């Protein structure tokens, strides 16, 4: 399902997906249309712009994930702002691309997200990883009840930030695909539990490239 309020962009994405052999089961121009059409369309993946007429992309993400936890949301936005990326992840998005991405990057991201991978534009992955690291390593990690990350979760997420697929990570670490997926989902859940004000402040301080590898 493709959701974007710009007809030319929406049509182009739909054509690219169909040309690649993917079935587009629905399109929408705003949040209201998206929520109205989602139950009947039952898409596996929703390619969603954030800046759409109300409800916005973050609110749509939260609602459709609530309705169907198995759905995969890939944000395709002109914005690479820290707050937008983190809000989308906290709402349940498992992918985030900026609109400067190429056609091939979009198609690859849709396929990977549909398989359960978490996909970010590289610089944005560093931002999210930076917050995971702070949760894992920060001295105040136990003061506010924030769940800590395990060493393995941190290791997996470093690889996610580098753009590696779950399959590649599983092979590198000699783990099953399901185990890798569970590590990432557990960490996303932990991030959602964190105080948003502290999260946003830290993200702004760190910038987008928090990965020091």
């Amino acid at each position: 399902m493709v959701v974007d309020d710009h007809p030319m962009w929406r049509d182009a994405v739909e054509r690219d997906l169909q040309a690649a052999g993917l079935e587009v089961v629905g399109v929408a121009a705003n949040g209201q249309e998206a929520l109205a059409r989602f139950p009947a369309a039952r898409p596996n993946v929703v390619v969603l712009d954030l800046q759409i007429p109300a409800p916005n992309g973050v609110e749509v993400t939260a609602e459709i994930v609530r309705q169907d936890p198995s759905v995969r949301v890939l944000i395709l936005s002109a914005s690479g702002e820290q707050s937008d990326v983190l809000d989308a992840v906290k709402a349940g998005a498992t992918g985030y691309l900026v609109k400067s991405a190429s056609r091939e990057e979009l198609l690859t991201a849709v396929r990977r997200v549909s398989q359960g991978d978490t996909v970010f534009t590289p610089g944005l992955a560093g931002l999210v990883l930076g917050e995971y690291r702070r949760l894992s390593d920060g001295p105040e990690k136990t003061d506010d009840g924030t769940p800590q990350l395990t060493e393995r979760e941190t290791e997996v997420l470093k690889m996610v930030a580098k753009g590696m697929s779950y399959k590649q990570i599983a092979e590198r670490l000699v783990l099953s695909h399901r185990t890798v997926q569970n590590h990432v989902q557990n960490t996303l859940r932990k991030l959602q539990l964190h105080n948003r004000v502290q999260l946003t402040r830290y993200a702004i301080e760190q910038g987008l490239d928090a990965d020091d590898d």
Side-chain angles (χ1 to χ4, degrees):
M1 186 173 183
V2 180
V3 184
D4 197 299
D5 60 330
H6 294 93
M8 289 181 62
W9 186 268
R10 184 175 64 247
D11 292 347
V13 171
E14 181 181 8
R15 282 196 305 270
D16 285 346
L17 294 174
Q18 290 175 330
L22 300 170
E23 181 184 2
V24 178
V25 296
V27 296
N30 55 56
Q32 191 171 359
E33 283 186 5
L35 293 179
R37 296 172 184 177
F38 176 76
R42 305 302 291 178
N44 299 117
V45 177
V46 178
V47 180
L48 176 64
D49 188 13
L50 281 186
Q51 287 78 27
I52 55 175
N56 66 30
V58 170
E59 294 165 331
V60 169
T61 297
E63 177 57 24
I64 64 176
V65 169
R66 185 192 68 78
Q67 291 184 26
D68 179 7
S70 69
V71 71
R72 305 297 179 182
V73 179
L74 173 63
I75 300 298
L76 186 60
S77 175
S79 171
E81 291 295 318
Q82 297 98 319
S83 59
D84 288 336
V85 179
L86 293 169
D87 283 349
V89 170
K90 290 174 70 177
T94 51
Y96 196 112
L97 290 184
V98 292
K99 284 188 172 180
S100 57
S102 69
R103 176 179 177 275
E104 285 307 313
E105 286 172 327
L106 170 62
L107 296 175
T108 298
V110 169
R111 291 191 177 101
R112 284 182 56 188
V113 167
S114 73
Q115 295 166 359
D117 274 16
T118 301
V119 182
F120 294 99
T121 295
L124 305 185
L127 162 68
V128 179
L129 179 64
E131 178 56 22
Y132 295 143
R133 278 200 180 146
R134 198 204 61 74
L135 291 180
S136 181
D137 302 331
E140 74 281 20
K141 63 188 174 185
T142 59
D143 293 347
D144 59 0
T146 299
Q148 301 176 38
L149 295 186
T150 66
E151 186 175 339
R152 179 64 86 186
E153 286 169 348
T154 303
E155 186 176 19
V156 167
L157 287 157
K158 286 180 182 178
M159 295 183 179
V160 171
K162 292 176 181 176
M164 293 175 66
S165 70
Y166 286 12
K167 181 180 179 181
Q168 290 171 324
I169 295 170
E171 291 172 352
R172 175 78 64 85
L173 299 179
V174 196
L175 298 171
S176 70
H177 183 283
R178 171 63 63 183
T179 298
V180 173
Q181 186 173 353
N182 286 342
H183 281 315
V184 176
Q185 294 304 319
N186 286 341
T187 309
L188 290 174
R189 179 177 51 78
K190 291 176 181 180
L191 177 62
Q192 290 166 355
L193 292 174
H194 188 60
N195 179 276
R196 177 175 169 177
V197 175
Q198 292 181 355
L199 179 70
T200 304
R201 184 178 67 227
Y202 177 81
I204 292 171
E205 289 171 353
Q206 294 298 311
L208 289 177
D209 297 312
D211 191 356
D212 60 9
D213 289 344

